[in-house]
Amino acid sequence: MSKQFNDEEIIKLYQQGNDELPPKALDDAILAHASDAISKDQPVIIKPNRWWHYSGIAAAMVAIAVFAPWQYYQEPDFESELKSVESIDKPALPQAKKTAKREPQVEMMELLADDVQLEKIEVTGSRVERVAPEQKAPSVLAPPLEIQNSKGIELRSEFNVVLAKLEENDKNGAEQALIQLLEAKPDLHDMIPEPLEGLYQTLLKNGKLTKPK
Amino acid sequence: MLDYGKGNQAAFRALYARHKGPLYRYVCRQLGTKYHSKAQELFQEVWLRVIDNRTRYKVEAKFSTWLYRIAHNLLVDEHRKLTARGEHLSLVDDEQHEGNYLTLASNQTHQENTLHNDYLQKAIKHCVELLVPQQREAFLLRHEAGFEPAQVCNIVEAKPETVKTRLRYAMSQLRECLERKAGATELGGERQV
């Protein structure tokens, strides 16, 4: 009679010595494939090409190196210009006040000198005009004064000898000097300055001097 | 598996070491000794699919369930190919080929018990190969891979009653097969597995 097998015996019998494994070559092939798949998955880190970053930084540094000394060179000039403007501005107003007290001749000469300086400043830059616009007033008024004064200065220089003798109370000397001057330069008959007007009229009445036609 | 999906090679090695034996035996038993080389090819294909789908793996079921489901699908395809070519193992054919298997001399009284046990172990494996494919698959998943009946249902996509019936019929077939082989040895003569 054949042996009877229950379920547990059949299962136990099946599991006994059930230790078959895949061959080593198959294991290696599968593990190699798994390894390759992972290595392919690894993201390739591509370093971004940052040459333009570095070149941009280098260009900026070159620009700074080139233009920074230029700026340093410019700054003192700017400051000196400002100082010169300030130095002109400050005495300008007191000088204008002083001129009112001085003699007209001296006043005219100083104003002429001021005008020359102001014209130079105006040429150097418009900024100066903006900084001290009030300084333009004398420069605008200067041309007519200049014309008058230039003639006056020349006349006075011609009559200086006469005026000097008159101030020394040397009336005869003054008369002689005036006669000689007018004989030498008859054009001066029409340009007699006020201090010498009385002396000139006296000489005409005395007949010592004749006014040319 | 999630670790391997993130690039941990050691995690795959651990998974492979844990599952390679049962899966290999499951695939080999399913295709039979006649198709041993094909079974190895199919076993490799299962793992290649696991590797290729590592990033798509979701924790919806145990990894082993997912693994054996891949194997099940590949085996179903392979059975269809074999059936179409008329090469699929049939019970009749295998019964006819029984004489080609290992033959043991019955008159070797020494080492009788050991030999008898070895004979029965080989006999049960041969009996498993003789099972109907669906019954064999249920038996192997339950007793080779160690799945619970519910998990077997998930893998083979069958109802629980169907799986239970397959398991019951499989045990019945194995019992009959073993008793027949054991009875043959007791009657004397050559033991044929």
Side-chain angles (χ1 to χ4, degrees), chain A residues 21-33, chain B residues 16 20 24 28 36-37 39-45 47-48:
Chain A
L21 290 172
K24 184 78 167 54
L26 199 57
D27 288 347
D28 293 342
I30 291 166
L31 291 173
H33 184 80
Chain B
Y16 183 73
K20 68 174 183 178
Y24 182 73
C28 288
H36 191 70
S37 59
Q40 288 186 349
E41 190 181 316
L42 208 68
F43 170 78
Q44 187 175 8
E45 180 62 26
W47 284 105
L48 295 187

